Amino acid sequence: MNALILVDLQNDFLPGGALAVPHGDEVIPLADKLQRRFDLVVATKDWHPADHGSFAANHPGKKPGDRIILDGIEQILWPVHCVQNTHGAEFAPLFDTSRIAEIFHKGTERNIDSYSTFFDNAHRRHTGLAHYLEKLGIKEIFLMGLALDYCVKYSALDARQLGLNTYVIVDGCRGIDLAPGDIARAVDEIKHAGAIILKSADL
Ligand code: VGL
Ligand code: ZN
């Protein structure tokens, strides 16, 4: 059994959103088209409380892009985004969610961020996705979504650590490139961890 994991296809990560990933909207039609090719489809949501520690606005004098230590680990500060139960946290309007078996939420704890769809950034808590996949006997996962250099990358690295055969559908991802070259470095790290980068045409 395999699973397609659709990462953070939410309004705030699309052009016009609070943490817009350049060209993020371009992956939605592919997400819609590819779903029927997989045994199981799950999706993730970045799902922060309004007082989340990753928001620059919650740290007086700080701005997006600054780095702080949050509960013992380094945290990049972001604009307020994907606040629980707001429009920005909703799935993109054109995203077909009819085949999604389960939605996993991350970033829900005030004092720690979670880029990976499996664990928070300090690996203190899991989202439930690893156990869910294990219970269903899924050993092969295909990732696509936003953003390639954050949530998709860390999800791929954790998936490899969990021993999953991991594929990243690269044309189904877009990155932030906060520092120029971040996207290219993310692709290298993903490959180095033993995940396979492929194009949707190769499926
Ligand atoms: C993400 C930055 C902050 C992501 C989430 O989904 O890649 N990036 N929160
Ligand atoms: Zn976030």
Side-chain angles (χ1 to χ4, degrees):
M1 288 254 287
N2 63 27
L4 176 65
I5 300 175
L6 297 167
V7 179
D8 296 3
L9 299 178
Q10 294 163 274
N11 289 324
D12 270 344
F13 294 123
L14 302 188
L19 180 38
V21 178
H23 305 284
D25 54 324
E26 293 171 6
V27 308
I28 307 291
L30 192 59
D32 291 349
K33 186 177 126 189
L34 292 182
Q35 292 184 46
R36 73 177 78 95
R37 312 268 297 267
F38 295 87
D39 300 321
L40 178 82
V41 182
V42 300
T44 71
K45 274 190 169 179
D46 208 34
W47 192 250
H48 299 305
D51 61 354
H52 198 252
S54 75
F55 298 163
N58 292 330
H59 303 276
K62 300 288 180 192
K63 57 183 190 313
D66 288 351
R67 288 160 198 260
I68 61 162
I69 300 295
L70 183 65
D71 204 16
I73 66 163
E74 189 182 74
Q75 174 68 51
I76 303 174
L77 296 178
W78 301 105
V80 174
H81 66 279
C82 296
V83 173
Q84 297 169 3
N85 303 306
T86 63
H87 173 78
E90 280 171 25
F91 284 134
L94 296 177
F95 177 29
D96 176 6
T97 57
S98 60
R99 275 210 62 210
I100 294 171
E102 196 75 48
I103 298 168
F104 292 87
H105 296 85
K106 62 192 181 57
T108 57
E109 302 280 317
R110 188 174 71 90
N111 268 325
I112 185 131
D113 210 356
S114 182
Y115 296 140
S116 162
T117 59
F118 292 97
F119 300 99
D120 64 56
N121 290 358
H123 277 217
R124 289 180 192 140
R125 287 176 184 233
H126 56 79
T127 60
L129 177 59
H131 292 138
Y132 178 85
L133 296 176
E134 193 183 1
K135 241 167 65 185
L136 293 174
I138 289 167
K139 298 193 169 62
E140 192 168 70
I141 63 153
F142 292 75
L143 290 160
M144 63 171 280
L146 307 170
L148 177 57
D149 39 358
Y150 287 93
C151 288
V152 175
K153 178 182 97 172
Y154 287 102
S155 297
L157 301 186
D158 279 349
R160 288 300 303 140
Q161 261 194 29
L162 289 163
L164 295 164
N165 296 328
T166 307
Y167 298 84
V168 175
I169 304 167
V170 71
D171 52 327
C173 301
R174 295 291 184 277
I176 298 175
D177 240 7
L178 194 62
D182 277 356
I183 294 174
R185 281 188 290 272
V187 168
D188 286 345
E189 281 182 67
I190 289 167
K191 286 184 189 163
H192 190 76
I196 292 166
I197 300 273
L198 51 70
K199 295 204 172 79
S200 57
D202 304 329
L203 282 166

